[in-house]
Amino acid sequence: MITEPVAMRAIPDLPLRTVGWVAFSAIGSTVIGQGSMSWLLQRHSVSVVTPMTLAAPIISVFAAAYYFGNPLTLLMLAGGGVAMLGVAIVTIRTARADRLEGKLA
């Protein structure tokens, strides 16, 4: 407020769309996102929950390519493929371990 007084005076003139994006970032990312992670981590182990978060950057890259027309490079696609392969390995391994525990119990 002290270092950017001109920007602070411009806040009432912001378009409603811009205010909506800021509100989504504050409410959606912080409250809903962090609350959901807390809920998941209370019910599942970190090794199961954390790999699923690797999909977020991949979805972001595809959304940016679609919405903003950003180019998709081979390196981006390879990185996304490696990340998804890692998620698949953890998911399949966890499912197998759960199935084996069910048979033994």
Side-chain angles (χ1 to χ4, degrees):
M1 291 170 60
I2 294 170
T3 60
E4 296 286 344
V6 175
M8 296 305 291
R9 282 194 300 270
I11 289 176
D13 298 327
L14 286 174
L16 191 56
R17 181 178 179 177
T18 303
V19 174
W21 285 115
V22 172
F24 170 76
S25 179
I27 295 168
S29 297
T30 305
V31 176
I32 296 171
Q34 295 297 326
S36 298
M37 282 299 287
S38 176
W39 183 83
L40 284 169
L41 289 170
Q42 289 173 5
R43 286 155 182 78
H44 305 284
S45 70
V46 174
S47 62
V48 172
V49 174
T50 305
M52 302 305 168
T53 63
L54 292 174
I58 294 168
I59 293 168
S60 299
V61 166
F62 282 109
Y66 174 76
Y67 190 76
F68 298 115
N70 292 354
L72 284 175
T73 65
L74 187 58
L75 187 60
M76 289 175 158
L77 295 173
V82 169
M84 289 292 90
L85 179 64
V87 169
I89 290 170
V90 169
T91 303
I92 291 168
R93 192 182 81 206
T94 302
R96 284 185 183 163
D98 289 347
R99 195 169 53 226
L100 288 175
E101 284 178 13
K103 287 182 181 178
L104 297 175

